[in-house]
Amino acid sequence: MRGFAYGAVAAVSYGLNPLFTLPLYGAGLTPDSVLFYRYGLAVIMLGLLMKAQGQSFALCKSEILPLFVMGMLMAFSSLTLFISYNYMDAGIASTILFVYPVLVAVIMALFFKEKVSVVTMVSIALAFLGISLLYKGEGGQTLSFVGVALVFVASLTYALYIIGVNRSVLRNMPTAKLTFYVLLFGLSVFLVRLKLGMSLDVIHEPLLWMNPIALALFPTIVSLVAMAKSVHYIGSTPTAILGALEPITALFFGVVIFGEALTPRIILGVVLVLTAVTLIIAAKPLMKLIRLHWIHR
């Protein structure tokens, strides 16, 4: 249950991305600049936390290459997702990103021979059906092909990151240390793309700084640390499926903060997604209870 709780926290935290990103876009910042602030501030915060807790920053030679690869995967996932916000609504982009649980399940089945249970398949189907109801266009508009392609790349790289953490020497690395170096290596991507900071957009309004600080804290540190712990406790596939809570988070803030409508179709979508999450959480304990019942009989 601890692993499932961490997975839920990771998904909800990651779902806060649009909430803190769109105000920065409105102020004229580019995706690279937003992500530079996000990753840079997160590295500083996490480094100070590790220092205060007396954690070691030392790395083994065998850990450097996997950390570099994970940093690249995370950076390109963030970059493609944030660029897609310029081609479609952030809510729709966050919804399409949810294809990563299917990619995780398929990759794990094809390359690691992990069995995909009936409950897992049903959960994925229910989650996708619910999300399609949440964000289905009323006027039947065609989504941007470029935007969809960008989100798919974001989804694929995110799926590979989840699997990579669980299937490499990084599996037993302390969570804070893993997250620190993933962000540090990922930061190099934006530093290069911003011509070593020469093209960085400066934030002039003091209140606007709340957004990159929140981006560094919630969708970055909290989400990545919680996800790493979830993967450690319950594995890649259940952690990925719990990502269904991400679009629920986007919906919640859309209704409460931005006054979006809450229609019967949206309510049905919420129920289906929460049912999918409940199934994936309750499946293993329920099967254990059933087996114990038949054994004692």
Side-chain angles (χ1 to χ4, degrees):
M1 291 308 298
R2 187 178 299 177
F4 286 116
Y6 278 124
V9 169
V12 170
S13 300
Y14 199 78
L16 298 176
N17 266 316
L19 182 65
F20 303 119
T21 301
L22 297 183
L24 294 172
Y25 284 5
L29 274 72
T30 65
D32 287 286
S33 293
V34 172
L35 288 167
F36 178 84
Y37 287 119
R38 174 188 173 186
Y39 275 53
L41 289 171
V43 166
I44 294 172
M45 290 178 187
L46 201 51
L48 291 174
L49 178 63
M50 291 175 62
K51 189 70 175 177
Q53 294 177 344
Q55 297 190 42
S56 172
F57 289 86
L59 292 175
C60 299
K61 288 184 178 180
S62 61
E63 296 170 338
I64 295 175
L65 181 59
L67 282 171
F68 175 79
V69 174
M70 293 304 105
M72 295 300 102
L73 288 173
M74 181 56 63
F76 281 108
S77 179
S78 299
L79 180 61
T80 49
L81 177 64
F82 275 45
I83 293 176
S84 74
Y85 291 165
N86 291 322
Y87 292 90
M88 62 175 68
D89 291 341
I92 297 176
S94 298
T95 302
I96 299 174
L97 181 71
F98 186 71
V99 76
Y100 73 84
V102 175
L103 298 179
V104 168
V106 169
I107 293 170
M108 294 297 291
L110 290 178
F111 296 99
F112 298 98
K113 309 303 180 185
E114 181 178 289
K115 293 183 179 179
V116 180
S117 67
V118 174
V119 173
T120 297
M121 296 300 294
V122 171
S123 297
I124 291 172
L126 285 176
F128 267 102
L129 178 59
I131 291 172
S132 68
L133 290 174
L134 290 179
Y135 292 111
K136 184 179 179 182
E138 298 291 350
Q141 304 94 333
T142 302
L143 294 178
S144 165
F145 174 78
V146 174
V148 172
L150 286 167
V151 181
F152 182 80
V153 172
S155 181
L156 177 60
T157 48
Y158 193 57
L160 292 173
Y161 172 82
I162 292 175
I163 295 171
V165 169
N166 194 39
R167 294 285 174 165
S168 68
V169 295
L170 305 178
R171 178 182 175 87
N172 297 317
M173 179 177 286
T175 303
K177 185 176 180 180
L178 167 66
T179 307
F180 174 82
Y181 280 107
V182 165
L183 294 174
L184 184 61
F185 282 119
L187 180 63
S188 65
V189 172
F190 311 115
L191 189 61
V192 170
R193 286 178 56 86
L194 290 169
K195 301 176 182 178
L196 301 181
M198 297 299 293
S199 300
L200 178 66
D201 296 318
V202 179
I203 300 177
H204 297 286
E205 299 178 24
L207 287 179
L208 206 59
W209 274 100
M210 294 176 59
N211 293 285
I213 292 172
L215 277 173
L217 182 60
F218 296 108
T220 312
I221 293 179
V222 173
S223 180
L224 289 177
V225 170
M227 186 182 67
K229 285 184 173 292
S230 179
V231 169
H232 174 75
Y233 282 113
I234 61 177
S236 300
T237 303
T239 299
I241 294 171
L242 282 167
L245 292 174
E246 179 193 335
I248 294 293
T249 304
L251 172 68
F252 173 80
F253 283 105
V255 172
V256 173
I257 295 180
F258 301 109
E260 296 178 358
L262 188 63
T263 64
R265 174 175 55 81
I266 292 177
I267 294 175
L268 178 59
V270 172
V271 171
L272 288 175
V273 173
L274 292 181
T275 300
V277 175
T278 302
L279 275 177
I280 203 66
I281 292 176
K284 289 184 180 180
L286 181 60
M287 291 305 295
K288 286 182 180 179
L289 286 175
I290 293 173
R291 283 196 293 268
L292 286 172
H293 171 73
W294 284 103
I295 289 172
H296 289 299
R297 285 191 63 182

